[in-house]
Amino acid sequence: MIILKHHNNKVTEVLDEASKTIVFDDAKSIPYILYDLATTYPDQLLIWCNESYFEGLNKKKLDEIFHNKNVMASYSVEDVAYLTDKIGYVDQSIYLKVNKEVTYPTWLTSSDVGGVFATTLTSILGDFNRNNDFDYFLNAIAKTAMSQGLFCYSDPRLLVKELKPIHKNRVSTFKLFQFVKQHYKTGWVFFLFFCFMKYEKTFPILALLNALRYKRVKRNLDFSRTEISSTKQLVKTKTVDVIIPTIGRKKYLYDVLKDLSAQTLLPINVIIVEQNPDEDSQSQLEYLQTQQWPFNVIHKFIHQTGACNARNIALSLVKSEWVFFGDDDIRFNNTLIEDALHRVSTYGVKAINTVCLQPKEQQSYFKTAQTPIFGAGTSFVSSDILQKIKFDLRFEHGYGEDSDFGMQIRNLGEDVVFIADLHITHLKAPVGGYRTKHKQLWDNDEVSPKPSPTIILYHQRYFTNEQLRAYKLILFFKYYKRQPIKNPYKYYSKMKDSWNSSLNWSQYLQEVSYD
């Protein structure tokens, strides 16, 4: 381990694990010195720390935090990130509203304290601009590399206790516009300018013009050369339960069970929650009893429809160490379960998504990486997480239940990772004959809410105010092309009413009890 101490954007001291001083060129910027250390000590973990927080560095937890070589973690003592909440005007990801109480996935990186393995850093940098602004440099690295396989986190365990911030490290308006121009499509820098005028009541024309001088940073990073082997022991019993909600897909579900029967690592329990809203109906899945299956089948037949309720019933019956969230119209090869447990061991994560494509779709992304997505029909999750959360019935028959469940996982301090070489085929089977359209509370409103109140609920929970403002503007511009009202004033008035209606229903959903 090498520790780089800094203050006022200058390196003040470099120490090895035995606290012996390492000589460095103090004429160089922090990024250059960090790169020199990475090339000189390729097998070491590199830690940076503002000298004001050095005494609080939690050395005992570093092995847990950096459990595989593709982890880059930091922690901001100050509540406001370097790029400030204004980055939310152009970034609609879940990575901005950071839960600082837990290990949380985010590319927002701080110079207060953090670290990365030397070999990983050198594979990222190449001709990367080693900007004198250390915070800018760190955020640029994370923003570029996170989607390509660098696991980036905010982790409070880096410090032994909560400390008071002793300085404010925040980006200037000029640097913010530059960052947006370099890391997003060009249109976003103009959108940011518009948001500054509308919401910040400023006119940063010079910052805009300055940003247009810069080119977008594009790098194709390859982390495959880094040998990844997590030190976490997440698979002990190798037991898996499968949960499947189903409604009217008898034939397709049978094929799913056949695929499960052929697994090289068989599940212990397959928990099927069959739904039919007809109170006089009976189960159509007679083959669950008439055929022999190489696993225990737990079958629940209910008259209440809804995937959230069905999955919650299934989750209450789970007994195994891991859960495969299945769907009733998927197909997969005979090594899926065994391969999935191998991947969670390799990467040290408790929730993974597989590649899920329809039969004629082609895979377009081939890098295992953190993902903002959670798919409740194609995921594997550790059971110890599932004892603490459940699907929120506020999202039943609406939009966002899978995304909300994924956010519950992240706010427990766990991550969701997309595994690029695990494949499931989603047949997108026709809906069952006894499915009925669910009538929402707001369906008869004179003013139809837009977007769906469940979407607003999701955004209010997990996005910043700036992101919500930007989402409203994006919706306004996108929907304008698709609707008949071309008078912008009438359209604005209509959209405002629809937005307010959605806000009101979202507030209702937050207040009503679904326990």
Side-chain angles (χ1 to χ4, degrees):
M1 176 177 64
I2 305 294
I3 301 175
L4 180 151
K5 295 166 64 176
H6 65 90
H7 182 65
N8 289 336
N9 221 29
K10 291 287 185 181
V11 176
T12 57
E13 190 175 18
V14 179
L15 304 172
D16 65 13
E17 195 161 0
S19 296
K20 293 182 180 179
T21 300
I22 295 175
V23 177
F24 63 93
D25 185 351
D26 59 6
K28 291 185 176 181
S29 67
I30 301 177
Y32 269 105
I33 294 173
L34 198 62
Y35 179 74
D36 289 344
L37 292 171
T39 53
T40 305
Y41 304 95
D43 298 324
Q44 293 295 314
L45 171 65
L46 303 179
I47 299 293
W48 62 84
C49 185
N50 187 293
E51 65 177 21
S52 302
Y53 307 129
F54 178 69
E55 295 302 319
L57 181 62
N58 193 357
K59 296 180 182 179
K60 293 181 180 179
K61 288 290 183 179
L62 295 181
D63 287 342
E64 293 180 30
I65 296 169
F66 301 95
H67 60 90
N68 81 52
K69 288 190 175 181
N70 274 12
V71 170
M72 178 176 174
S74 73
Y75 185 73
S76 172
V77 177
E78 188 185 4
D79 286 337
V80 179
Y82 166 75
L83 288 173
T84 74
D85 290 340
K86 294 180 180 62
I87 191 66
Y89 288 135
V90 299
D91 193 307
Q92 289 289 298
S93 76
I94 61 166
Y95 302 127
L96 302 191
K97 193 173 182 179
V98 176
N99 183 347
K100 297 189 66 178
E101 302 299 316
V102 300
T103 302
Y104 189 87
T106 179
W107 57 265
L108 294 176
T109 312
S110 174
S111 66
D112 288 351
V113 60
V116 65
F117 279 95
T119 52
T120 304
L121 185 65
T122 53
S123 67
I124 297 170
L125 289 182
D127 61 347
F128 207 96
N129 181 18
R130 286 152 213 158
N131 195 292
N132 282 326
D133 186 332
F134 189 35
D135 278 280
Y136 191 101
F137 170 79
L138 292 173
N139 281 275
I141 285 177
K143 184 69 178 73
T144 303
M146 184 180 186
S147 63
Q148 301 190 58
L150 182 67
F151 291 3
C152 302
Y153 301 98
S154 163
D155 201 321
R157 296 176 298 170
L158 284 163
L159 297 172
V160 293
K161 60 181 179 179
E162 186 176 342
L163 300 173
K164 292 184 179 180
I166 48 83
H167 61 92
K168 293 183 178 180
N169 240 10
R170 298 184 187 178
V171 71
S172 66
T173 301
F174 269 69
K175 284 284 187 180
L176 178 63
F177 273 78
Q178 177 187 332
F179 188 91
V180 171
K181 181 61 171 63
Q182 289 185 307
H183 297 93
Y184 299 82
K185 291 182 179 179
T186 299
W188 284 109
V189 76
F190 292 101
F191 188 80
L192 178 64
F193 178 74
F194 182 79
C195 288
F196 262 74
M197 289 194 299
K198 180 173 177 60
Y199 298 118
E200 305 299 326
K201 308 303 179 186
T202 60
F203 190 75
I205 187 64
L206 294 180
L208 171 64
L209 295 175
N210 177 71
L212 294 176
R213 298 187 299 115
Y214 293 91
K215 294 182 179 180
R216 188 177 179 188
V217 176
K218 289 185 179 180
R219 284 182 175 80
N220 184 24
L221 303 176
D222 182 10
F223 294 102
S224 62
R225 291 170 294 180
T226 304
E227 184 178 347
I228 299 178
S229 179
S230 175
T231 58
K232 290 184 178 181
Q233 300 297 315
L234 299 184
V235 179
K236 298 175 183 177
T237 64
K238 280 193 172 183
T239 56
V240 177
D241 285 354
V242 183
I243 66 171
I244 307 174
T246 187
I247 179 168
R249 284 178 175 161
K250 177 181 177 180
K251 174 186 177 299
Y252 293 95
L253 177 63
Y254 183 83
D255 290 337
V256 176
L257 295 176
K258 282 296 186 181
D259 284 352
L260 289 172
S261 299
Q263 291 296 297
T264 54
L265 178 62
L266 288 167
I268 303 299
N269 301 298
V270 177
I271 306 167
I272 299 169
V273 181
E274 181 187 4
Q275 307 150 72
N276 189 326
D278 183 355
E279 293 290 341
D280 297 323
S281 63
Q282 294 182 343
S283 172
Q284 294 188 347
L285 307 179
E286 71 283 346
Y287 52 70
L288 296 180
Q289 283 73 43
T290 59
Q291 283 195 223
Q292 293 291 321
W293 303 100
F295 38 71
N296 182 38
V297 175
I298 301 174
H299 176 218
K300 296 293 180 182
F301 180 62
I302 62 175
H303 298 298
Q304 177 180 337
T305 62
C308 293
N309 176 65
R311 288 193 174 103
N312 284 341
I313 291 172
L315 288 174
S316 70
L317 302 171
V318 165
K319 301 295 183 185
S320 293
E321 183 181 40
W322 287 85
V323 172
F324 172 27
F325 284 77
D327 210 342
D328 60 3
D329 62 343
I330 57 176
R331 301 303 302 270
F332 41 88
N333 65 31
N334 67 338
T335 63
L336 176 69
I337 293 178
E338 186 174 11
D339 291 342
L341 294 193
H342 180 260
R343 300 301 185 278
V344 297
S345 293
T346 299
Y347 293 101
V349 291
K350 291 187 176 183
I352 61 171
N353 280 350
T354 67
V355 180
C356 183
L357 301 172
Q358 295 181 45
K360 293 183 179 180
E361 278 188 286
Q362 296 293 318
Q363 185 172 347
S364 59
Y365 192 76
F366 297 90
K367 295 183 179 182
T368 291
Q370 292 165 288
T371 175
I373 299 169
F374 178 82
T378 56
S379 299
F380 288 80
V381 182
S382 176
S383 294
D384 64 348
I385 294 178
L386 302 174
Q387 296 170 5
K388 305 169 187 175
I389 58 177
K390 61 182 179 180
F391 285 87
D392 192 333
L393 296 181
R394 292 171 179 82
F395 294 92
E396 193 75 284
H397 301 293
Y399 303 95
E401 74 276 8
D402 288 11
S403 298
D404 178 79
F405 194 79
M407 289 306 298
Q408 291 184 57
I409 291 174
R410 295 180 186 92
N411 279 298
L412 287 176
E414 303 298 342
D415 198 6
V416 181
V417 171
F418 167 74
I419 306 297
D421 60 353
L422 287 181
H423 296 86
I424 288 177
T425 300
H426 190 192
L427 299 180
K428 279 286 185 180
V431 296
Y434 50 79
R435 295 187 187 217
T436 57
K437 178 175 172 56
H438 181 80
K439 191 173 182 62
Q440 295 285 12
L441 294 170
W442 46 83
D443 281 350
N444 291 331
D445 279 11
E446 184 177 342
V447 177
S448 178
K450 190 170 188 65
S452 166
T454 57
I455 298 248
I456 288 287
L457 175 62
Y458 176 75
H459 276 73
Q460 288 176 324
R461 283 183 175 178
Y462 305 116
F463 291 79
T464 67
N465 290 333
E466 287 77 7
Q467 287 178 296
L468 193 59
R469 287 172 170 176
Y471 175 67
K472 182 180 179 181
L473 279 178
I474 293 167
L475 188 71
F476 177 89
F477 291 128
K478 280 187 175 180
Y479 187 58
Y480 182 73
K481 303 174 184 177
R482 306 174 189 171
Q483 52 80 46
I485 302 174
K486 298 307 176 185
N487 183 312
Y489 297 103
K490 288 183 179 180
Y491 170 68
Y492 175 78
S493 177
K494 179 181 179 296
M495 281 296 293
K496 185 178 180 181
D497 290 343
S498 295
W499 179 269
N500 288 336
S501 174
S502 190
L503 286 177
N504 291 335
W505 279 112
S506 172
Q507 184 63 35
Y508 171 83
L509 290 174
Q510 292 185 62
E511 294 173 354
V512 69
S513 175
Y514 281 85
D515 294 331

